[in-house]
Short mmCIF file of all heavy atoms in Angstrom, two decimals:
data_model
loop_
_atom_site.label_atom_id
_atom_site.label_comp_id
_atom_site.label_asym_id
_atom_site.label_seq_id
_atom_site.Cartn_x
_atom_site.Cartn_y
_atom_site.Cartn_z
N CYS A 268 -22.06 -16.71 25.52
CA CYS A 268 -21.58 -15.80 26.56
C CYS A 268 -21.60 -14.38 26.00
O CYS A 268 -21.14 -14.16 24.87
CB CYS A 268 -20.17 -16.20 26.95
SG CYS A 268 -19.34 -14.99 28.01
N LEU A 270 -19.91 -11.86 26.98
CA LEU A 270 -18.60 -11.18 27.01
C LEU A 270 -17.70 -11.66 25.90
O LEU A 270 -17.16 -10.87 25.13
CB LEU A 270 -17.89 -11.44 28.35
CG LEU A 270 -18.40 -10.73 29.59
CD1 LEU A 270 -17.44 -10.99 30.75
CD2 LEU A 270 -18.55 -9.24 29.36
N CYS A 271 -17.50 -12.98 25.82
CA CYS A 271 -16.52 -13.49 24.87
C CYS A 271 -17.17 -14.07 23.62
O CYS A 271 -16.48 -14.45 22.68
CB CYS A 271 -15.63 -14.54 25.53
SG CYS A 271 -16.49 -16.04 26.04
N LEU A 272 -18.50 -14.16 23.62
CA LEU A 272 -19.29 -14.67 22.49
C LEU A 272 -18.97 -16.13 22.16
O LEU A 272 -19.19 -16.57 21.03
CB LEU A 272 -19.13 -13.79 21.24
CG LEU A 272 -19.37 -12.29 21.41
CD1 LEU A 272 -19.48 -11.61 20.05
CD2 LEU A 272 -20.61 -11.97 22.23
N THR A 273 -18.44 -16.85 23.13
CA THR A 273 -18.26 -18.28 22.94
C THR A 273 -19.63 -18.96 23.13
O THR A 273 -20.37 -18.60 24.04
CB THR A 273 -17.28 -18.84 24.00
OG1 THR A 273 -16.03 -18.18 23.84
CG2 THR A 273 -17.09 -20.35 23.85
N HIS A 275 -21.77 -22.29 24.00
CA HIS A 275 -21.62 -23.51 24.77
C HIS A 275 -22.88 -24.35 24.63
O HIS A 275 -23.96 -23.82 24.40
CB HIS A 275 -21.48 -23.20 26.27
CG HIS A 275 -20.22 -22.48 26.63
ND1 HIS A 275 -19.09 -23.13 27.03
CD2 HIS A 275 -19.95 -21.16 26.68
CE1 HIS A 275 -18.16 -22.24 27.32
NE2 HIS A 275 -18.64 -21.04 27.11
N LEU A 302 -23.03 -15.39 31.01
CA LEU A 302 -21.58 -15.53 31.03
C LEU A 302 -21.18 -17.00 31.04
O LEU A 302 -21.94 -17.85 31.51
CB LEU A 302 -21.00 -14.87 32.29
CG LEU A 302 -21.33 -13.38 32.51
CD1 LEU A 302 -20.80 -12.93 33.86
CD2 LEU A 302 -20.74 -12.53 31.40
N CYS A 303 -19.96 -17.26 30.56
CA CYS A 303 -19.41 -18.61 30.67
C CYS A 303 -19.45 -19.00 32.16
O CYS A 303 -18.99 -18.23 33.00
CB CYS A 303 -17.97 -18.65 30.18
SG CYS A 303 -17.74 -18.30 28.43
N ALA A 307 -14.04 -18.38 32.22
CA ALA A 307 -12.74 -18.52 31.55
C ALA A 307 -12.74 -17.88 30.17
O ALA A 307 -12.02 -18.31 29.27
CB ALA A 307 -12.36 -19.99 31.46
N CYS A 308 -13.53 -16.82 30.00
CA CYS A 308 -13.67 -16.16 28.69
C CYS A 308 -12.32 -15.86 28.04
O CYS A 308 -12.13 -16.08 26.85
CB CYS A 308 -14.43 -14.85 28.86
SG CYS A 308 -16.04 -15.04 29.63
N TYR A 311 -10.91 -18.88 26.41
CA TYR A 311 -11.64 -19.32 25.21
C TYR A 311 -11.26 -18.47 24.01
O TYR A 311 -11.01 -19.00 22.93
CB TYR A 311 -13.16 -19.24 25.43
CG TYR A 311 -13.69 -20.25 26.42
CD1 TYR A 311 -14.39 -19.84 27.53
CD2 TYR A 311 -13.50 -21.61 26.23
CE1 TYR A 311 -14.88 -20.76 28.46
CE2 TYR A 311 -13.98 -22.54 27.13
CZ TYR A 311 -14.67 -22.11 28.25
OH TYR A 311 -15.15 -23.02 29.15
ZN1 LIG B 195 -17.35 -16.08 28.11
#
Side-chain angles (χ1 to χ4, degrees):
C268 170
L270 287 187
C271 65
L272 309 192
T273 299
H275 293 267
L302 303 175
C303 295
C308 303
Y311 291 123

